[in-house]
Amino acid sequence: MALAYIGNRLDRCANQRSDAAWVEAQRRAPDAKMVHINGEGTLAAGGHLVTDRPAGDAALVVFLGRDAAGAPWFACPSTLTENLAPLRSLAMENLVPAEELGIAAQARALIQWHERRGFCSNCGGRNRVVDGGYRRHCDSCGMDHFPRTDPVIIMVVRHGSRILLGRQAAWTAGMYSALAGFLEPGETIEDAARREVLEEAGITVGTVRYAASQPWPFPSSLMIGLIGEALTDRISLDDKELEDARWFDRAEALMMLDRTHPQGLWATNPYAIAHELVRLALQED
Ligand SMILES: [Zn+2]
């Protein structure tokens, strides 16, 4: 199974979407497609997202981009509550092609942002959608608001041939994952990763290397996947954050990847970046 939500190949047409007439022409195109989003759910059937033509009177329509065949894709909020497929299930059960799963992630992040940003955070005035949905503008105070993406660092730490993984009490039994946390203002990616691992497990990390990234639309994160090299190995657990954190040797970690660990321990779902980071961390010498 491949990482989920990374397959979006839409051309977002960032140079054209500020032209409202151009966006409207896309919406009227006979091959235009609308994705319906309700919370973390959308519609899927027969191995594909269910789309329809974008209605002209919808309160909120966001332009997503054009696919390889030139078809424009849009998204809108939906009040449908039946037959919704959660984005996690679409990923876990491989229910739609990777590209469509990526499109659904883009749609979900954008629609959720719009649903919560109807008013200007500067003056409280009602703002309006421009640039095909990539900006909201407040006519009262002139402020522009842009869709947010929240960077999260997630890191597998190595010490010799062992790797550090932890688990939160709320997680499914036996699941261990890479340590993670939100990047804070004024921090580099490397500093945030070192801080999180020190706070949660008491481990000092030296070298930090970027490995991969993954959009995580719950609601709008970007997981920045890292591999770090520990300078210390004595764990001091922050039990408000983690229920457990420990070093796993290579043989154990390999069993956790393919879910053959004798104690039923496992290293996250394969569609999530932590699984891939564990695999990468074990590959290197
Ligand atoms: Zn304002």
Side-chain angles (χ1 to χ4, degrees), residues 88 95 115 280:
R88 284 186 173 88
L95 295 179
E115 287 179 330
L280 290 171

Side-chain angles (χ1 to χ4, degrees), residues 7-236:
N8 187 351
R9 298 290 172 266
L10 291 183
D11 175 354
R12 297 174 182 229
C13 304
N15 291 335
Q16 291 119 307
R17 69 193 181 201
S18 57
D19 178 347
W22 182 89
V23 174
E24 177 59 15
Q26 300 302 306
R27 190 188 64 74
R28 292 172 181 272
D31 54 353
K33 296 176 169 61
M34 179 84 97
V35 179
H36 296 261
I37 297 287
N38 183 346
E40 294 185 9
T42 186
L43 296 171
H48 291 280
L49 296 178
V50 173
T51 60
D52 58 12
R53 292 288 309 284
D57 58 352
L60 172 64
V61 175
V62 174
F63 174 69
L64 300 175
R66 288 197 300 200
D67 65 22
W73 287 66
F74 290 83
C76 70
S78 167
T79 54
L80 292 173
T81 54
E82 292 191 1
N83 303 318
L84 284 175
L87 261 62
R88 284 186 173 88
S89 303
L90 290 181
M92 202 169 334
E93 297 165 34
N94 262 327
L95 295 179
V96 298
E99 168 149 21
E100 292 182 25
L101 190 57
I103 292 171
Q106 179 189 2
R108 147 70 174 163
L110 276 167
I111 292 298
Q112 196 265 5
W113 179 77
H114 281 285
E115 287 179 330
R116 296 181 182 187
R117 296 298 189 282
F119 293 88
C120 176
S121 57
N122 186 47
C123 76
R126 187 173 281 283
N127 57 26
R128 60 187 172 90
V129 177
V130 287
D131 294 354
Y134 284 79
R135 182 163 59 100
R136 296 188 75 101
H137 182 76
C138 175
D139 290 323
S140 302
C141 74
M143 181 167 270
D144 287 315
H145 304 273
F146 297 92
R148 62 184 288 170
T149 296
D150 301 316
V152 176
I153 57 85
I154 179 164
M155 179 158 73
V156 171
V157 177
R158 304 193 304 183
H159 188 264
S161 61
R162 298 179 300 167
I163 62 169
L164 177 71
L165 299 174
R167 62 169 275 112
Q168 295 177 11
W171 290 354
T172 311
M175 187 180 102
Y176 279 75
S177 186
L179 303 193
F182 285 101
L183 195 79
E184 294 187 352
E187 271 186 321
T188 65
I189 289 170
E190 293 85 349
D191 287 344
R194 292 189 187 102
R195 175 181 54 76
E196 283 289 342
V197 172
L198 187 63
E199 285 172 1
E200 294 187 1
I203 300 295
T204 302
V205 174
T207 305
V208 172
R209 190 172 59 75
Y210 171 81
S213 66
Q214 180 182 33
W216 194 249
F218 308 106
S220 52
S221 292
L222 173 68
M223 308 303 284
I224 302 170
L226 308 162
I227 294 173
E229 306 296 337
L231 299 175
T232 62
D233 70 343
R234 187 174 164 177
I235 293 171
S236 169

